[in-house]
Amino acid sequence: MSPEGKTLLNIIILGLGFMVIFTAFGTCGNIEQTVIKSFNSTEFHGSGYTSMAIIYAVFSASNLIAPSVIAVIGPQLSLFFSGLVYSGYIAVFIHPYTSSFYTLSVLLGIAAAVLWTAQGNLLTINSKDSTIGRNSGIFWALMQFSLFFGNLYIFFAWRGKSHITDKDRQTVFITLTVISLVGNFLFFLIQRPDPEPAPSDASESLLPADISDSNSVVPSQSLCSQAFEAFKKSIQLAMTKEMLLLSIPFAYSGLELTFYSGVYGTCLGAMTQFGDDAKGLIGLSGILIGVGEILGGGVFGILDKCNRFGRNPVVFLGLFTHIVAFFLIFLNIASDAPVAPEEGTQMQAFIQPSVTVALICSFLLGLGDSCFNTQLISIVGFLFREDSASAFAVFKFVQSITAAVAFFYSNYFLLHWQLLIMVLAGFLGTITFFVVEWGIISSRRDSDYDSI
């Protein structure tokens, strides 16, 4: 197989592994608050929003040490062991206890930091400047297929149900646990890419230990040195002008991640005006979010048609679709839906609530999210190719800390306040992204002039 074919295969395997794991975890996150509201037990007092807030708070802090972990054990083993923690978190819902629920939330935050930093590192070392956009789109589109399968099951299994029984819950989460375990083992199919003529030291130091020379033994002092250097690079990168500007769109991606992956599904389930199908709409909404994600990843990543215009038009499209979605949600969903009890909300929306409008908004949320994330992955991989693990750790640090804050205030803020926060952050993040992209275009032009 040619080197180009091998790296493309690695990207596809990486995307498939994430697709399988997040088929399980994404479905879990989408339904957990609804499941918890229906859980009959005097021994369990957990909150799905609080759990997610813990996960993303720990996630943000753990991103500072994630590059060090990858430098020591390599991205491949990092993906595998982190994925096992995801499986453990899902399995908690089979027989939930408050202590194990929150303990696994903490552990998952650590695992998520390692998982996503390893993903960014593997994506970068299997890409060139000319293929980073395409590969980002392929990975994103494959991963977002995860939103189809689990949510499709939820739609048909829970359709017409106003209460989720213990048997319903156990059947779903046993299935999701097994699915996530399968995804973990796919990462062992990733092969080491053929070395380039002049590989960078940073990339070499982060290649998987288990797929490099198995006979070489690295002294413990060298491992400690690698870990410290990776940590130091993360701090240094976080202080650069480009990373400080990009921190605003990073933050926005965390806010809207919280909304589409947890809050919006809860809002739909709380709308009594949708009738007995409200719980089933959670699954159908997740499917349409996935359609938007895959469409965005395909058009702007796989086809890679927008390169001649840069990344800015795609990010602007993402902002536009989100603004339209937020406005329609503001009109269509009752303000207290995020914090309503299991019985649902009795408040009236500004218009007669429409299932069609609600599902159109799901699609727009997914499309806008894919526009932002494919371009953020692309620009980080392009700007910080030499220190990709550290750069993606900073990306996920900012994204996860804002997601944690958003999940925390989702317990208390009414819907219109949550939407307003996202609109303001989206506008500011788009502007700062434009500034960084204009800098890249300007430097390219200067380089072209210097070569004449």
Side-chain angles (χ1 to χ4, degrees), residues 16-25 79-92 94 104 115 172-189:
L16 289 174
F18 271 71
M19 180 193 73
V20 176
I21 289 176
F22 281 89
T23 291
F25 181 72
L79 291 172
F80 175 74
F81 289 118
S82 299
L84 291 180
V85 181
Y86 275 77
S87 301
Y89 178 82
I90 297 167
V92 163
I94 299 172
L104 263 296
L115 183 90
V172 168
F173 284 99
I174 288 173
T175 304
L176 295 180
T177 301
V178 173
I179 290 172
S180 67
L181 288 171
V182 172
N184 295 330
F185 287 94
L186 288 177
F187 296 131
F188 286 116
L189 299 178

Short mmCIF file of all heavy atoms in Angstrom, two decimals, residues 16-25 79-92 94 104 115 172-189:
data_model
loop_
_atom_site.label_atom_id
_atom_site.label_comp_id
_atom_site.label_asym_id
_atom_site.label_seq_id
_atom_site.Cartn_x
_atom_site.Cartn_y
_atom_site.Cartn_z
N LEU A 16 -13.81 5.50 12.27
CA LEU A 16 -14.71 4.40 12.59
C LEU A 16 -14.68 4.07 14.08
O LEU A 16 -15.72 3.78 14.68
CB LEU A 16 -14.34 3.17 11.76
CG LEU A 16 -14.64 3.24 10.26
CD1 LEU A 16 -14.09 2.01 9.55
CD2 LEU A 16 -16.15 3.36 10.01
N GLY A 17 -13.48 4.09 14.67
CA GLY A 17 -13.37 3.82 16.10
C GLY A 17 -14.15 4.83 16.92
O GLY A 17 -14.89 4.47 17.84
N PHE A 18 -14.00 6.10 16.57
CA PHE A 18 -14.75 7.15 17.28
C PHE A 18 -16.25 7.03 17.00
O PHE A 18 -17.07 7.31 17.88
CB PHE A 18 -14.23 8.52 16.87
CG PHE A 18 -13.10 9.02 17.72
CD1 PHE A 18 -11.84 8.45 17.63
CD2 PHE A 18 -13.28 10.06 18.61
CE1 PHE A 18 -10.79 8.88 18.43
CE2 PHE A 18 -12.25 10.52 19.41
CZ PHE A 18 -10.99 9.93 19.32
N MET A 19 -16.60 6.62 15.77
CA MET A 19 -18.01 6.46 15.44
C MET A 19 -18.66 5.42 16.36
O MET A 19 -19.75 5.65 16.91
CB MET A 19 -18.18 6.02 13.99
CG MET A 19 -19.63 5.82 13.57
SD MET A 19 -19.80 4.96 11.99
CE MET A 19 -19.36 3.30 12.47
N VAL A 20 -17.99 4.29 16.56
CA VAL A 20 -18.57 3.22 17.37
C VAL A 20 -18.64 3.64 18.84
O VAL A 20 -19.66 3.45 19.51
CB VAL A 20 -17.76 1.92 17.20
CG1 VAL A 20 -18.29 0.83 18.12
CG2 VAL A 20 -17.80 1.45 15.76
N ILE A 21 -17.55 4.22 19.35
CA ILE A 21 -17.55 4.64 20.76
C ILE A 21 -18.60 5.70 21.02
O ILE A 21 -19.35 5.65 22.00
CB ILE A 21 -16.14 5.15 21.16
CG1 ILE A 21 -15.15 3.99 21.23
CG2 ILE A 21 -16.20 5.87 22.51
CD1 ILE A 21 -13.74 4.41 21.53
N PHE A 22 -18.70 6.67 20.11
CA PHE A 22 -19.63 7.77 20.35
C PHE A 22 -21.05 7.45 19.90
O PHE A 22 -21.97 8.20 20.21
CB PHE A 22 -19.10 9.06 19.71
CG PHE A 22 -18.03 9.69 20.55
CD1 PHE A 22 -16.70 9.34 20.39
CD2 PHE A 22 -18.36 10.60 21.54
CE1 PHE A 22 -15.71 9.89 21.18
CE2 PHE A 22 -17.39 11.17 22.34
CZ PHE A 22 -16.06 10.81 22.17
N THR A 23 -21.25 6.33 19.18
CA THR A 23 -22.60 5.81 19.04
C THR A 23 -23.15 5.51 20.42
O THR A 23 -24.31 5.82 20.74
CB THR A 23 -22.61 4.54 18.18
OG1 THR A 23 -22.30 4.88 16.83
CG2 THR A 23 -23.96 3.85 18.21
N ALA A 24 -22.30 4.93 21.26
CA ALA A 24 -22.70 4.60 22.63
C ALA A 24 -22.71 5.83 23.53
O ALA A 24 -23.73 6.13 24.17
CB ALA A 24 -21.75 3.54 23.20
N PHE A 25 -21.62 6.57 23.57
CA PHE A 25 -21.52 7.67 24.53
C PHE A 25 -22.42 8.85 24.13
O PHE A 25 -23.02 9.50 25.00
CB PHE A 25 -20.08 8.14 24.65
CG PHE A 25 -19.91 9.27 25.64
CD1 PHE A 25 -20.01 9.04 27.00
CD2 PHE A 25 -19.67 10.57 25.20
CE1 PHE A 25 -19.88 10.07 27.91
CE2 PHE A 25 -19.53 11.60 26.11
CZ PHE A 25 -19.63 11.35 27.47
N LEU A 79 -5.68 6.04 23.21
CA LEU A 79 -7.05 5.90 22.72
C LEU A 79 -7.73 4.68 23.36
O LEU A 79 -8.89 4.76 23.79
CB LEU A 79 -7.06 5.76 21.20
CG LEU A 79 -6.67 6.99 20.38
CD1 LEU A 79 -6.56 6.61 18.90
CD2 LEU A 79 -7.68 8.11 20.56
N PHE A 80 -7.02 3.56 23.42
CA PHE A 80 -7.62 2.33 23.93
C PHE A 80 -8.01 2.44 25.40
O PHE A 80 -9.15 2.16 25.78
CB PHE A 80 -6.65 1.16 23.73
CG PHE A 80 -7.15 -0.14 24.31
CD1 PHE A 80 -8.18 -0.84 23.70
CD2 PHE A 80 -6.60 -0.65 25.47
CE1 PHE A 80 -8.65 -2.04 24.24
CE2 PHE A 80 -7.06 -1.83 26.03
CZ PHE A 80 -8.09 -2.53 25.41
N PHE A 81 -7.07 2.85 26.24
CA PHE A 81 -7.35 2.90 27.67
C PHE A 81 -8.38 3.98 28.00
O PHE A 81 -9.21 3.81 28.90
CB PHE A 81 -6.06 3.13 28.46
CG PHE A 81 -5.15 1.93 28.49
CD1 PHE A 81 -3.88 1.98 27.95
CD2 PHE A 81 -5.60 0.73 29.03
CE1 PHE A 81 -3.05 0.88 27.96
CE2 PHE A 81 -4.77 -0.40 29.05
CZ PHE A 81 -3.50 -0.33 28.51
N SER A 82 -8.35 5.09 27.28
CA SER A 82 -9.36 6.13 27.49
C SER A 82 -10.75 5.62 27.10
O SER A 82 -11.74 5.90 27.78
CB SER A 82 -9.02 7.38 26.67
OG SER A 82 -7.78 7.92 27.04
N GLY A 83 -10.80 4.86 26.00
CA GLY A 83 -12.07 4.31 25.57
C GLY A 83 -12.68 3.35 26.58
O GLY A 83 -13.91 3.28 26.73
N LEU A 84 -11.84 2.63 27.32
CA LEU A 84 -12.35 1.73 28.34
C LEU A 84 -13.08 2.50 29.44
O LEU A 84 -14.08 2.01 30.00
CB LEU A 84 -11.20 0.91 28.96
CG LEU A 84 -10.55 -0.14 28.06
CD1 LEU A 84 -9.44 -0.85 28.82
CD2 LEU A 84 -11.57 -1.15 27.54
N VAL A 85 -12.60 3.69 29.76
CA VAL A 85 -13.26 4.52 30.78
C VAL A 85 -14.63 4.97 30.27
O VAL A 85 -15.60 5.02 31.03
CB VAL A 85 -12.39 5.72 31.17
CG1 VAL A 85 -13.08 6.56 32.25
CG2 VAL A 85 -11.03 5.25 31.68
N TYR A 86 -14.71 5.31 28.98
CA TYR A 86 -16.01 5.65 28.39
C TYR A 86 -17.00 4.49 28.57
O TYR A 86 -18.17 4.70 28.91
CB TYR A 86 -15.86 5.97 26.90
CG TYR A 86 -15.47 7.39 26.60
CD1 TYR A 86 -14.17 7.84 26.76
CD2 TYR A 86 -16.41 8.29 26.13
CE1 TYR A 86 -13.81 9.16 26.48
CE2 TYR A 86 -16.08 9.61 25.83
CZ TYR A 86 -14.78 10.03 26.01
OH TYR A 86 -14.44 11.32 25.73
N SER A 87 -16.53 3.27 28.34
CA SER A 87 -17.40 2.10 28.50
C SER A 87 -17.85 1.96 29.95
O SER A 87 -19.01 1.63 30.22
CB SER A 87 -16.66 0.83 28.06
OG SER A 87 -16.25 0.91 26.71
N GLY A 88 -16.94 2.22 30.89
CA GLY A 88 -17.29 2.14 32.31
C GLY A 88 -18.35 3.15 32.70
O GLY A 88 -19.26 2.84 33.48
N TYR A 89 -18.24 4.36 32.16
CA TYR A 89 -19.23 5.40 32.48
C TYR A 89 -20.62 5.00 31.98
O TYR A 89 -21.62 5.17 32.69
CB TYR A 89 -18.80 6.71 31.84
CG TYR A 89 -19.78 7.86 32.08
CD1 TYR A 89 -19.75 8.58 33.27
CD2 TYR A 89 -20.72 8.21 31.12
CE1 TYR A 89 -20.64 9.63 33.49
CE2 TYR A 89 -21.62 9.25 31.32
CZ TYR A 89 -21.56 9.96 32.50
OH TYR A 89 -22.45 10.98 32.72
N ILE A 90 -20.68 4.46 30.77
CA ILE A 90 -21.97 4.04 30.22
C ILE A 90 -22.56 2.91 31.06
O ILE A 90 -23.77 2.87 31.33
CB ILE A 90 -21.79 3.61 28.75
CG1 ILE A 90 -21.33 4.80 27.90
CG2 ILE A 90 -23.09 3.03 28.19
CD1 ILE A 90 -20.84 4.40 26.51
N ALA A 91 -21.70 1.98 31.49
CA ALA A 91 -22.18 0.82 32.26
C ALA A 91 -22.77 1.22 33.61
O ALA A 91 -23.58 0.47 34.16
CB ALA A 91 -21.03 -0.17 32.47
N VAL A 92 -22.38 2.37 34.14
CA VAL A 92 -22.91 2.84 35.42
C VAL A 92 -24.44 2.92 35.39
O VAL A 92 -25.11 2.67 36.40
CB VAL A 92 -22.30 4.21 35.80
CG1 VAL A 92 -23.12 4.90 36.89
CG2 VAL A 92 -20.87 4.03 36.28
N ILE A 94 -26.58 1.02 34.12
CA ILE A 94 -27.29 -0.25 34.21
C ILE A 94 -27.88 -0.40 35.62
O ILE A 94 -29.04 -0.77 35.80
CB ILE A 94 -26.35 -1.42 33.87
CG1 ILE A 94 -25.82 -1.28 32.44
CG2 ILE A 94 -27.07 -2.75 34.05
CD1 ILE A 94 -24.74 -2.28 32.08
N LEU A 104 -17.13 8.01 38.25
CA LEU A 104 -16.84 7.77 36.82
C LEU A 104 -16.89 9.06 36.02
O LEU A 104 -16.20 9.17 35.00
CB LEU A 104 -17.83 6.76 36.25
CG LEU A 104 -17.38 5.28 36.19
CD1 LEU A 104 -16.20 5.13 35.24
CD2 LEU A 104 -17.00 4.77 37.57
N LEU A 115 -8.03 11.07 25.25
CA LEU A 115 -8.61 10.55 24.00
C LEU A 115 -8.57 11.59 22.89
O LEU A 115 -8.09 11.32 21.78
CB LEU A 115 -10.05 10.13 24.26
CG LEU A 115 -10.76 9.49 23.06
CD1 LEU A 115 -10.56 7.98 23.07
CD2 LEU A 115 -12.26 9.80 23.07
N VAL A 172 -31.11 -0.63 27.10
CA VAL A 172 -30.37 0.36 26.31
C VAL A 172 -28.92 0.42 26.73
O VAL A 172 -28.01 0.36 25.89
CB VAL A 172 -31.03 1.75 26.45
CG1 VAL A 172 -30.11 2.83 25.89
CG2 VAL A 172 -32.37 1.79 25.73
N PHE A 173 -28.64 0.50 28.02
CA PHE A 173 -27.27 0.75 28.46
C PHE A 173 -26.38 -0.49 28.43
O PHE A 173 -25.16 -0.37 28.29
CB PHE A 173 -27.28 1.41 29.84
CG PHE A 173 -27.65 2.86 29.79
CD1 PHE A 173 -28.94 3.27 30.07
CD2 PHE A 173 -26.73 3.82 29.40
CE1 PHE A 173 -29.30 4.61 30.00
CE2 PHE A 173 -27.07 5.15 29.32
CZ PHE A 173 -28.36 5.55 29.61
N ILE A 174 -26.95 -1.68 28.54
CA ILE A 174 -26.14 -2.89 28.31
C ILE A 174 -25.69 -2.93 26.85
O ILE A 174 -24.52 -3.21 26.54
CB ILE A 174 -26.95 -4.16 28.66
CG1 ILE A 174 -27.12 -4.26 30.18
CG2 ILE A 174 -26.24 -5.40 28.13
CD1 ILE A 174 -28.05 -5.39 30.61
N THR A 175 -26.61 -2.64 25.95
CA THR A 175 -26.28 -2.61 24.52
C THR A 175 -25.21 -1.57 24.21
O THR A 175 -24.24 -1.84 23.49
CB THR A 175 -27.54 -2.32 23.69
OG1 THR A 175 -28.54 -3.30 23.99
CG2 THR A 175 -27.23 -2.36 22.20
N LEU A 176 -25.37 -0.37 24.77
CA LEU A 176 -24.41 0.71 24.51
C LEU A 176 -23.03 0.38 25.07
O LEU A 176 -22.00 0.72 24.47
CB LEU A 176 -24.92 2.02 25.12
CG LEU A 176 -26.20 2.60 24.51
CD1 LEU A 176 -26.58 3.90 25.22
CD2 LEU A 176 -26.05 2.84 23.01
N THR A 177 -22.97 -0.29 26.22
CA THR A 177 -21.68 -0.66 26.81
C THR A 177 -20.92 -1.63 25.90
O THR A 177 -19.72 -1.46 25.67
CB THR A 177 -21.89 -1.30 28.19
OG1 THR A 177 -22.56 -0.38 29.06
CG2 THR A 177 -20.56 -1.69 28.82
N VAL A 178 -21.63 -2.64 25.40
CA VAL A 178 -20.99 -3.61 24.49
C VAL A 178 -20.49 -2.93 23.22
O VAL A 178 -19.37 -3.19 22.75
CB VAL A 178 -21.97 -4.75 24.16
CG1 VAL A 178 -21.38 -5.68 23.10
CG2 VAL A 178 -22.32 -5.54 25.42
N ILE A 179 -21.30 -2.05 22.67
CA ILE A 179 -20.92 -1.34 21.45
C ILE A 179 -19.64 -0.52 21.67
O ILE A 179 -18.72 -0.54 20.85
CB ILE A 179 -22.06 -0.41 20.99
CG1 ILE A 179 -23.23 -1.24 20.46
CG2 ILE A 179 -21.58 0.56 19.90
CD1 ILE A 179 -24.48 -0.43 20.17
N SER A 180 -19.56 0.17 22.80
CA SER A 180 -18.38 1.01 23.07
C SER A 180 -17.12 0.17 23.21
O SER A 180 -16.04 0.58 22.78
CB SER A 180 -18.61 1.85 24.33
OG SER A 180 -18.68 1.03 25.49
N LEU A 181 -17.24 -1.02 23.79
CA LEU A 181 -16.07 -1.90 23.94
C LEU A 181 -15.54 -2.34 22.58
O LEU A 181 -14.33 -2.45 22.37
CB LEU A 181 -16.44 -3.11 24.79
CG LEU A 181 -16.64 -2.84 26.29
CD1 LEU A 181 -17.22 -4.08 26.98
CD2 LEU A 181 -15.32 -2.44 26.94
N VAL A 182 -16.45 -2.61 21.64
CA VAL A 182 -16.02 -2.99 20.29
C VAL A 182 -15.20 -1.86 19.66
O VAL A 182 -14.16 -2.11 19.03
CB VAL A 182 -17.26 -3.31 19.41
CG1 VAL A 182 -16.84 -3.51 17.95
CG2 VAL A 182 -17.97 -4.56 19.93
N GLY A 183 -15.65 -0.63 19.84
CA GLY A 183 -14.94 0.51 19.25
C GLY A 183 -13.52 0.66 19.77
O GLY A 183 -12.62 1.07 19.02
N ASN A 184 -13.30 0.31 21.04
CA ASN A 184 -11.97 0.46 21.61
C ASN A 184 -10.92 -0.39 20.88
O ASN A 184 -9.77 0.03 20.70
CB ASN A 184 -11.98 0.07 23.10
CG ASN A 184 -12.82 1.00 23.93
OD1 ASN A 184 -12.96 2.18 23.61
ND2 ASN A 184 -13.40 0.48 25.01
N PHE A 185 -11.31 -1.58 20.47
CA PHE A 185 -10.35 -2.49 19.85
C PHE A 185 -10.05 -2.13 18.40
O PHE A 185 -9.05 -2.60 17.84
CB PHE A 185 -10.86 -3.94 19.96
CG PHE A 185 -10.77 -4.49 21.35
CD1 PHE A 185 -11.86 -4.42 22.21
CD2 PHE A 185 -9.60 -5.07 21.82
CE1 PHE A 185 -11.79 -4.91 23.51
CE2 PHE A 185 -9.51 -5.57 23.11
CZ PHE A 185 -10.60 -5.49 23.96
N LEU A 186 -10.88 -1.31 17.78
CA LEU A 186 -10.59 -0.88 16.41
C LEU A 186 -9.30 -0.06 16.33
O LEU A 186 -8.63 -0.06 15.29
CB LEU A 186 -11.76 -0.06 15.86
CG LEU A 186 -13.05 -0.82 15.52
CD1 LEU A 186 -14.13 0.14 15.06
CD2 LEU A 186 -12.79 -1.87 14.43
N PHE A 187 -8.94 0.62 17.42
CA PHE A 187 -7.76 1.48 17.39
C PHE A 187 -6.47 0.68 17.18
O PHE A 187 -5.46 1.24 16.74
CB PHE A 187 -7.65 2.30 18.68
CG PHE A 187 -8.78 3.27 18.86
CD1 PHE A 187 -9.48 3.35 20.06
CD2 PHE A 187 -9.16 4.12 17.83
CE1 PHE A 187 -10.51 4.25 20.23
CE2 PHE A 187 -10.20 5.02 17.99
CZ PHE A 187 -10.88 5.08 19.20
N PHE A 188 -6.48 -0.61 17.47
CA PHE A 188 -5.28 -1.42 17.27
C PHE A 188 -5.02 -1.70 15.80
O PHE A 188 -3.96 -2.23 15.43
CB PHE A 188 -5.39 -2.74 18.04
CG PHE A 188 -5.22 -2.58 19.52
CD1 PHE A 188 -6.26 -2.87 20.39
CD2 PHE A 188 -4.02 -2.12 20.05
CE1 PHE A 188 -6.11 -2.72 21.76
CE2 PHE A 188 -3.87 -1.97 21.42
CZ PHE A 188 -4.92 -2.26 22.28
N LEU A 189 -5.97 -1.36 14.91
CA LEU A 189 -5.77 -1.55 13.47
C LEU A 189 -5.01 -0.39 12.84
O LEU A 189 -4.62 -0.48 11.67
CB LEU A 189 -7.13 -1.70 12.78
CG LEU A 189 -7.99 -2.89 13.22
CD1 LEU A 189 -9.33 -2.88 12.48
CD2 LEU A 189 -7.26 -4.22 12.98
#
